[in-house]
Structures are given as C-alpha cells and as structure tokens.
Amino acid sequence: FYRVDPYGFERPEDFDYASYEAFFSRYLVVLTRRAIKWSKLLKGKNSIQKSLKVKRYIRKGIPNEHRALVWMIVSGAQTNMEQNPGYYHRLLEGEKNDKLVEAIKTDMNRTFPDNVKFRKTADPCLQHTLYNVLVAYGHHNKAVGYCQGMNFIAGYLILITKNEEESFWLLDALIGRILP
C-alpha cells in the first residue's frame, strides 16, 4: 500500500499497513461482488429506475467506478446539467463578485492540506478546479453565495467525479435541493 490513498490523502506516519492489508484482502471480495452487481444493474446506461433494489444497493455502498454516475443520476444533477447546457461555463465567464472571490481565495490553501492533489505543487493542481466550482456556485445561488466549509464539500465532489462541471451540479443538488 502506498503512502497516499487513491483519493490523494496522505496516510499518517503511524498508519498500520499490516492491519489495513489484512482487512482489505478480506473486504476486496465484498467490493468485487458489489461492483459486479452494479455493473449488471447499470449495463452501460446513464439511468437508474428507483426501486427497493437500487435503494438497497446504494445503502450498501456504491463502488468507486460507478459512484460519480450514480450520484449524478439519483441526485437529479445529471438532469439539471443536461437541461442547462453551457450554463456552468457562462457563470465562469460572467462578472465576478469581488467579496465572493476573496472569501473563496481565503479558503483555497485550507482545503484538504493533507491531500497531494490540492497542493500548489500538484500537476494538475485541483485548487483551480475547486475555485471555479465555488465561484460558479456562488454566482448561481446568490442567496447562499459562499459559506466556510463549502470548499471541503466541493473538493470531495471533485475527487469523486474528476469533473469540474459535474461537481458544480452535484453541489447545486446538495445545497439547493437535498439539504437546503
């Protein structure tokens, strides 16, 4: 196992690699079985029908390879993104609120300091992606703007989706509809 996990977080100096390997070698069977079930359920589609089966699958955990797609679909973010083509990019191209931008910039270096992907030395550095998502969201939802802590939520969404625009639409789904 590496010093950095798959999401870019550094493991602490006292990380117990032996215990982790023992646990993960047993748990890998469960993860593989779930991934196969999810692959059969999705069958290459970009849609999921709500059902008790899907609810059960979600509660047991969505495999990493399907997580972004499933989150986009079940949250309604996929539908919103498809119904508003180009909207995200127009938000980034528009005029910026200086106070909003300053508040976001203040939190940039505070976001996941133990994650190598958010360091300025990273290639690519996710700070610019995070900045874009937060600025766009702040202009999209002026009533909320930017609140301290949104950087961690958006940062996590970026790590999962690996996609700037999808992260924006997921953030909108979370803050605007799921947890208003």
Side-chain angles (χ1 to χ4, degrees):
F1 293 100
Y2 300 101
R3 189 183 62 78
V4 176
D5 77 8
Y7 295 107
F9 291 98
E10 289 183 308
R11 299 185 197 282
E13 293 292 325
D14 61 347
F15 187 77
D16 186 350
Y17 289 91
S19 293
Y20 184 76
E21 185 173 357
F23 163 77
F24 201 75
S25 64
R26 291 187 312 271
Y27 192 54
L28 194 56
V29 175
V30 174
L31 292 176
T32 303
R33 190 172 53 244
R34 283 188 193 147
I36 291 168
K37 287 181 178 182
W38 273 101
S39 293
K40 287 179 182 176
L41 179 74
L42 295 170
K43 293 179 194 152
K45 299 180 292 190
N46 282 351
S47 65
I48 300 173
Q49 295 297 320
K50 288 185 179 183
S51 68
L52 290 176
K53 180 179 182 178
V54 170
K55 190 175 191 177
R56 189 176 70 248
Y57 277 24
I58 289 172
R59 286 184 172 166
K60 287 184 177 184
I62 305 165
N64 293 346
E65 63 267 26
H66 300 299
R67 192 167 294 154
L69 173 64
V70 173
W71 282 5
M72 288 292 291
I73 294 168
V74 300
S75 69
Q78 184 73 36
T79 301
N80 277 357
M81 186 171 77
E82 290 168 0
Q83 290 175 349
N84 297 285
Y87 177 71
Y88 173 72
H89 297 289
R90 286 192 301 277
L91 286 169
L92 292 176
E93 293 166 0
E95 280 191 46
K96 307 289 185 288
N97 176 315
D98 291 336
K99 286 185 178 183
L100 173 77
V101 168
E102 189 58 37
I104 291 168
K105 283 184 177 179
T106 300
D107 280 350
M108 282 292 104
N109 291 322
R110 299 175 186 165
T111 306
F112 298 133
D114 57 342
N115 189 299
V116 299
K117 296 178 182 187
F118 282 95
R119 293 189 182 146
K120 288 182 181 179
T121 56
D123 185 29
C125 175
L126 293 181
Q127 281 191 7
H128 182 69
T129 302
L130 177 63
Y131 171 83
N132 284 347
V133 170
L134 293 172
V135 166
Y137 187 77
H139 287 95
H140 165 71
N141 187 342
K142 290 178 174 55
V144 172
Y146 173 75
C147 302
Q148 192 172 23
M150 284 173 66
N151 54 320
F152 291 103
I153 298 167
Y156 185 68
L157 295 174
I158 291 165
L159 289 171
I160 296 298
T161 64
K162 299 174 182 65
N163 182 293
E164 192 172 307
E165 187 174 7
E166 288 179 4
S167 297
F168 165 80
W169 288 108
L170 278 168
L171 187 63
D172 178 51
L174 279 170
I175 296 172
R177 288 186 312 283
I178 298 169
L179 303 169

